[in-house]
């Protein structure tokens, strides 16, 4: 993401406030450069959004856990 993209997403110009925004909204501290600018790809940001929304796809090595099914009525 470019600096302009980060400004558009967070609505903030200062790097420190952008970090606080990511901590508040996603519970993560983004990676920063030595000068404080955030390093984040669009795919990482989209994954954070998907995780927050609860719609992450299951990975190949990890099967999605299914809830236990209870019958509504007994079969005859």
């Amino acid at each position: 993401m470019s600096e302009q993209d980060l400004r558009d997403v967070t609505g903030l110009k200062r790097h420190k406030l952008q970090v606080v925004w990511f901590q508040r909204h996603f519970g993560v501290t983004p990676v920063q450069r030595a000068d404080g600018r955030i390093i984040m790809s669009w795919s990482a940001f989209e994954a954070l959004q998907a995780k927050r929304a609860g719609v992450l796809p299951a990975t190949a090595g990890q099967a999605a856990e299914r809830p236990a099914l209870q019958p509504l009525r007994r079969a005859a």
Side-chain angles (χ1 to χ4, degrees):
M1 296 175 75
S2 68
E3 289 189 48
Q4 183 61 44
D5 291 336
L6 287 166
R7 278 188 228 122
D8 292 342
V9 167
T10 63
L12 302 165
K13 291 182 181 179
R14 295 181 60 201
H15 306 304
K16 184 167 184 135
L17 294 177
Q18 290 174 347
V19 170
V20 171
W21 187 89
F22 273 97
Q23 290 171 338
R24 183 177 299 136
H25 287 86
F26 296 111
V28 297
T29 302
V31 177
Q32 293 178 274
R33 298 177 185 188
D35 63 358
R37 291 185 293 164
I38 294 175
I39 302 171
M40 182 168 294
S41 66
W42 273 107
S43 60
F45 178 70
E46 290 168 354
L48 287 172
Q49 287 182 313
K51 181 179 178 185
R52 183 176 176 195
V55 293
L56 271 179
T59 59
Q62 176 185 1
E65 221 174 284
R66 295 181 60 188
L69 300 177
Q70 301 295 328
L72 294 175
R73 55 191 150 148
R74 290 184 179 219

